[in-house]
Amino acid sequence: MREILPALRRWYESGTPFGLATVVAVTRSAPRGPGAAMAVGPEDEVVGSVSGGCVEGAVFELAKEVVETGQAQLETFGYSDEDAFAVGLTCGGEITLLVRPVSQATDPAFAEVAEAVADQRPVAMATVLDGPGPRGATLAVWPDRVSGTLGSGGLDAAVAADVRGELAQGATGQRHYGPHGERREDDVAVFLQSFAPPPRMLVFGAIDFAAAVARIGAFLGYRVTVCDARPVFATPKRFPEGVEVVVDWPHRYLRNTQTDGRTVICVLTHDPKFDVPLLEVALRSPAAYVGAMGSRRTHEDRLKALRETGLEDAELARLRSPIGLDLGARTPEEVAVSIAAEIVALRWGGSGAALTETAGAIHPPHLKPV
């Protein structure tokens, strides 16, 4: 949704209705997860993707149809055994899409939601998929207010409370309620899509490897900060546009900056006077990932120094060192790929093994951060 937002805002502000298709459920393997979106606007302009090309033609026609009728539709697409080239997912999975019309009349809060997403302020959209309420009805939820309705005040209150509890993690997925928000009933299916501010990537050590890691971090959707105590190296011109560059002692900066359960910390300083005090702070933070560059000998020396600071074994076990997966990487760009691969694997519980050596679902069920 973030990727196609500029086009959606343009169409909405022009007063032109458009069709919006959103992946709301995935079974087995599928190219895109819940929250992936595709839209069809004026003059048949298409933005986004819901399947990587497998069913986009059919979705295009559905999107045009819902704009004409004004009625949202819930459609499921799966693999066709009879004809792999028919409308279906040749990867063997199944996706369910909500395709609904969006206009100033049907979605008066859309502009405010789009503005919040663009400004990286937390907001969520709840949409009725099935049940006694009107399919496609939406409720926009901010930390301090709501806009719209799903059909009943009780349902609105229950959904808003649940959404606010998950906004910080950007959770996206289906929930079920009774007609008036009863949590132990399943008459109403609601799709919750949270837009939390992007997670942070903190890169310490303004070296060539840091520039490559910052670049791939931004590509993955992180808000990247590079920090180094040496002003001659910590200059914005050495890093990609949009990356924050800070001149400060790493441990002092980290101690005074906000981290959470989505933050990743990459320690590339490779110098004990920076590494040890920095890692002491990092391993006591709530960060999801803490990795440090260095040889195996450096790692052993570092562990010894960290134990002397009072860190316990459970805290030291969080340290990913030497940083990255074993890809045989040599160049800064290759090393950045290995680090990014480890971060992704840890985030989703992946093994890091080649898929040819594994079995079972490629994309296990999950609640996907947006």
Side-chain angles (χ1 to χ4, degrees), residues 114-171:
E115 182 179 2
V117 175
D119 292 344
Q120 300 183 3
R121 290 181 281 113
V123 65
M125 286 290 292
T127 309
V128 174
L129 302 180
D130 206 1
R135 176 175 290 162
T138 60
L139 179 73
V141 183
W142 288 267
D144 59 349
R145 62 191 177 92
V146 300
S147 179
T149 181
L150 302 177
S152 79
L155 180 59
D156 292 346
V159 170
D162 289 350
V163 167
R164 287 180 177 132
E166 297 180 346
L167 256 181
Q169 294 301 319

Side-chain angles (χ1 to χ4, degrees), residues 106-262:
T106 60
D107 290 79
F110 183 86
E112 289 184 90
V113 172
E115 182 179 2
V117 175
D119 292 344
Q120 300 183 3
R121 290 181 281 113
V123 65
M125 286 290 292
T127 309
V128 174
L129 302 180
D130 206 1
R135 176 175 290 162
T138 60
L139 179 73
V141 183
W142 288 267
D144 59 349
R145 62 191 177 92
V146 300
S147 179
T149 181
L150 302 177
S152 79
L155 180 59
D156 292 346
V159 170
D162 289 350
V163 167
R164 287 180 177 132
E166 297 180 346
L167 256 181
Q169 294 301 319
T172 289
Q174 288 192 37
R175 299 290 185 274
H176 295 84
Y177 303 87
H180 301 288
E182 300 88 343
R183 287 187 170 83
R184 295 189 178 184
E185 299 182 20
D186 58 3
D187 300 284
V188 183
V190 177
F191 183 67
L192 308 182
Q193 187 168 16
S194 301
F195 297 93
R200 299 195 68 188
M201 172 182 281
L202 306 177
V203 182
F204 294 96
I207 60 177
D208 290 344
F209 289 94
V213 170
R215 189 174 299 111
I216 202 167
F219 175 76
L220 290 175
Y222 287 93
R223 180 164 66 91
V224 182
T225 298
V226 176
C227 175
D228 198 302
R230 302 163 296 179
V232 67
F233 295 112
T235 60
K237 66 181 181 181
R238 300 185 65 235
F239 296 94
E241 183 179 356
V243 171
E244 180 186 29
V245 180
V246 174
V247 179
D248 199 352
W249 277 82
H251 71 283
R252 182 170 59 194
Y253 173 77
L254 182 58
R255 185 178 291 122
N256 293 320
T257 197
Q258 185 175 0
T259 60
D260 59 30
R262 299 187 301 154

Side-chain angles (χ1 to χ4, degrees), residues 80-127:
S80 171
D81 292 319
E82 297 179 358
D83 183 359
F85 294 98
V87 172
L89 298 176
T90 56
C91 59
E94 186 175 273
I95 61 172
T96 300
L97 305 176
L98 176 70
V99 189
R100 68 183 186 91
V102 178
S103 68
Q104 294 180 0
T106 60
D107 290 79
F110 183 86
E112 289 184 90
V113 172
E115 182 179 2
V117 175
D119 292 344
Q120 300 183 3
R121 290 181 281 113
V123 65
M125 286 290 292
T127 309

